[in-house]
Amino acid sequence: MSEASVLTLESDCTIRTVRSLQGALAAALAGATRLTLDCAAVKRADITFVQIVLAADKAAQRQATEIALANVPPAVSGAFQRAAIALPGQALR
């Protein structure tokens, strides 16, 4: 396994970008011991984004890798809140 890595997300994390996001997450997870998703640029996020992050988090757990979200803007936290799901690594408030 390699070391920790950071994946900087694009501004649009919606159903329109799901294929590229899914591919980027899979590539970033390959061999990582820890993956940080830098969400600073995200302006739009929907339930598809939440589902992709949760699927990546489960895949990461299977390979003993951690996923963390950093620089979480309102678009991301709002998408998780609307889905009534806690951000990976955090308790639902």
Side-chain angles (χ1 to χ4, degrees), residues 26-48:
L29 274 175
T33 55
R34 179 174 170 83
L35 175 60
T36 300
L37 304 179
D38 184 349
C39 301
V42 178
K43 303 286 185 223
R44 290 174 302 282
D46 63 9
I47 190 66
T48 308

Side-chain angles (χ1 to χ4, degrees), residues 5-91:
S5 61
V6 175
L7 176 61
T8 302
L9 301 178
E10 301 291 327
S11 65
D12 186 4
C13 291
T14 64
I15 195 164
R16 286 180 254 170
T17 61
V18 68
R19 288 194 194 272
S20 63
L21 178 58
Q22 191 173 26
L25 277 168
L29 274 175
T33 55
R34 179 174 170 83
L35 175 60
T36 300
L37 304 179
D38 184 349
C39 301
V42 178
K43 303 286 185 223
R44 290 174 302 282
D46 63 9
I47 190 66
T48 308
F49 173 71
V50 173
Q51 292 170 329
I52 292 293
V53 170
L54 292 177
D57 188 47
K58 286 186 181 187
Q61 289 175 18
R62 286 192 298 270
Q63 65 185 48
T65 300
E66 295 179 43
I67 288 186
L69 277 67
N71 305 314
V72 177
V76 171
S77 59
F80 275 85
Q81 287 176 340
R82 285 188 303 278
I85 296 173
L87 289 164
Q90 299 180 2

